[in-house]
Each structure stands twice: as structure tokens, then as C-alpha cells.
């Protein structure tokens, strides 16, 4: 037997055992809370991933409108910090029962709200820096823009470039374009494919 041929075959077989699953994470089946000050974390796994510092937020109590009713996922850094959970909003493969090796991120709908009025969802223009960490620890970045107003509060689609593949995690950091306080972040209909063993 030629062991030089066997080794590449074993490598191919190992990679072919990963099972792809594509999701449109819309958070609609989760029980949301109207007040960001009363945080209800999204328990992992949700659609195979861990949504760290995100909370389901119901539609209809906000000027910001979910792309698909009834919920968005929201992250408010001030409220998170007050509850001892400071840090950026993160989507990750890391949770105790995870079998996910990596995920490919395609798109999400985003919006921002004035954080002191986040329970009302008053739109705030923002840029959202999305940083992905790949399986080889390399980083990729992309900036999404939200220019919502009270007259046009809808979340906007952010499509990610092709290098947002084979990710272990992404962080989403909103920065306001008008106010010094970072805005609260809202996402909806996040499209991705996970690869699990």
C-alpha cells in the first residue's frame, strides 16, 4: 500500500464530514423584552451559534422596525456594562455543547438607536465595524452604515464580502455619527452557513 496516497485521502475524508446548515436568524420565535434595561439574553445555541450580549427585542414598541416581525436582536453596551457584561456584541461558534467548526457570514440587517432612549428605539445614524476572526486566527473587517431617521427607521441590509468565510466569531461595534455615546445596535435576518461535525 502507498501511504503517500492514503494520507491525502484521510484529510479529504475528515473535511467531508462537516455538515453545512444555512440559517436566516430572525429571532422571531424568542421571547423578547421591550426594555433593554431588563436584558433577556439569547441562550446558546441559537441557530447553531452563540449570540453574546444580544437580547431579543419585540417589534411594535420601537421606531426601529424589525425586517421580519416580531423581533430583532439588540445590544446596548451601557446596559450590558451596568449588569457586569461589558464587551462588544459577538456572534461565535464557542459554547459548551458546540460542534460547529466555523461559519460563513453572508448578510444581516442592521440599525442603531440612541442608547439613552433605546427602549423607544429612536433611530441614530451609525457605522458598525464588523470584525471576523477566521479559523486560522486572521482578522477580516467590514463597515456597515445605517442612516435611519424617524421618517425612515427601517433596518438596512449589510452584505458581507467573500472573505467573511470560515469564521470562528464576529464582533459588531457601532459608533455614532452624531452623538458621543455609542448607539444601541439592532440586527435581524442574519444569514449564514455553519459547518458542524
Amino acid at each position: 500500500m502507498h501511504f503517500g496516497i492514503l494520507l491525502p485521502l484521510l484529510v479529504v475524508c475528515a473535511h467531508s464530514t462537516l455538515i453545512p446548515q444555512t440559517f436566516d436568524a430572525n429571532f422571531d420565535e424568542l421571547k423578547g423584552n421591550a426594555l433593554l434595561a431588563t436584558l433577556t439574553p439569547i441562550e446558546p445555541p441559537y441557530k447553531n451559534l452563540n449570540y453574546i450580549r444580544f437580547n431579543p427585542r419585540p417589534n411594535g414598541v420601537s421606531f426601529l422596525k424589525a425586517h421580519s416581525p416580531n423581533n430583532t436582536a439588540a445590544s446596548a453596551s451601557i446596559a450590558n456594562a451596568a449588569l457586569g457584561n461589558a464587551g462588544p456584541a459577538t456572534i461565535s461558534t464557542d459554547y459548551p455543547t458546540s460542534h460547529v467548526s466555523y461559519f460563513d457570514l453572508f448578510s444581516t440587517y442592521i440599525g442603531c438607536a440612541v442608547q439613552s432612549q433605546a427602549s423607544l428605539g429612536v433611530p441614530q445614524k451609525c457605522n458598525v465595524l464588523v470584525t471576523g476572526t477566521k479559523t486560522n486566527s486572521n482578522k477580516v473587517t467590514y463597515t456597515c452604515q445605517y442612516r435611519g431617521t424617524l421618517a425612515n427607521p427601517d433596518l438596512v441590509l449589510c452584505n458581507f464580502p467573500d472573505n467573511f468565510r470560515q469564521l470562528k466569531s464576529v464582533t459588531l461595534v457601532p459608533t455614532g455619527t452624531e452623538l458621543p455615546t455609542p448607539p444601541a445596535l439592532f440586527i435581524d435576518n442574519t444569514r449564514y452557513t455553519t459547518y458542524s461535525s
Side-chain angles (χ1 to χ4, degrees):
M1 174 176 273
H2 294 285
F3 290 102
I5 294 173
L6 181 59
L7 184 59
L9 287 175
L10 289 173
V11 171
V12 169
C13 289
H15 285 291
S16 65
T17 60
L18 293 180
I19 300 166
Q21 288 182 277
T22 299
F23 296 95
D24 180 359
N26 59 24
F27 316 104
D28 292 342
E29 70 278 16
L30 301 176
K31 184 174 174 63
N33 193 313
L35 298 175
L36 284 177
T38 308
L39 300 180
T40 306
I42 297 174
E43 294 296 328
Y46 178 71
K47 311 277 188 187
N48 276 8
L49 294 177
N50 188 3
Y51 286 79
I52 303 165
R53 297 179 198 90
F54 279 104
N55 309 280
R57 182 115 185 342
N59 210 15
V61 293
S62 169
F63 291 108
L64 282 171
K65 296 178 183 175
H67 179 70
S68 66
N70 297 318
N71 290 337
T72 60
S75 181
S77 60
I78 292 174
N80 284 326
L83 295 172
N85 192 20
T90 303
I91 304 170
S92 173
T93 60
D94 187 26
Y95 54 91
T97 59
S98 178
H99 294 282
V100 178
S101 296
Y102 58 86
F103 66 102
D104 298 341
L105 181 61
F106 305 117
S107 63
T108 191
Y109 281 82
I110 64 157
C112 292
V114 178
Q115 194 153 179
S116 62
Q117 300 173 8
S119 61
L120 297 176
V122 176
Q124 179 182 352
K125 295 177 182 177
C126 69
N127 297 321
V128 180
L129 177 63
V130 184
T131 302
T133 302
K134 297 169 82 75
T135 54
N136 61 7
S137 298
N138 287 345
K139 306 278 189 190
V140 291
T141 61
Y142 189 73
T143 299
C144 305
Q145 293 185 339
Y146 175 70
R147 297 296 178 254
T149 63
L150 284 174
N152 185 18
D154 294 350
L155 303 185
V156 296
L157 180 63
C158 180
N159 289 304
F160 295 100
D162 289 343
N163 60 352
F164 271 71
R165 306 294 185 264
Q166 296 189 345
L167 301 169
K168 296 295 285 183
S169 67
V170 294
T171 59
L172 300 95
V173 178
T175 55
T177 62
E178 298 169 330
L179 298 174
T181 305
L185 172 68
F186 294 75
I187 64 171
D188 202 8
N189 295 91
T190 303
R191 288 189 58 252
Y192 54 87
T193 297
T194 62
Y195 296 84
S196 306
S197 57

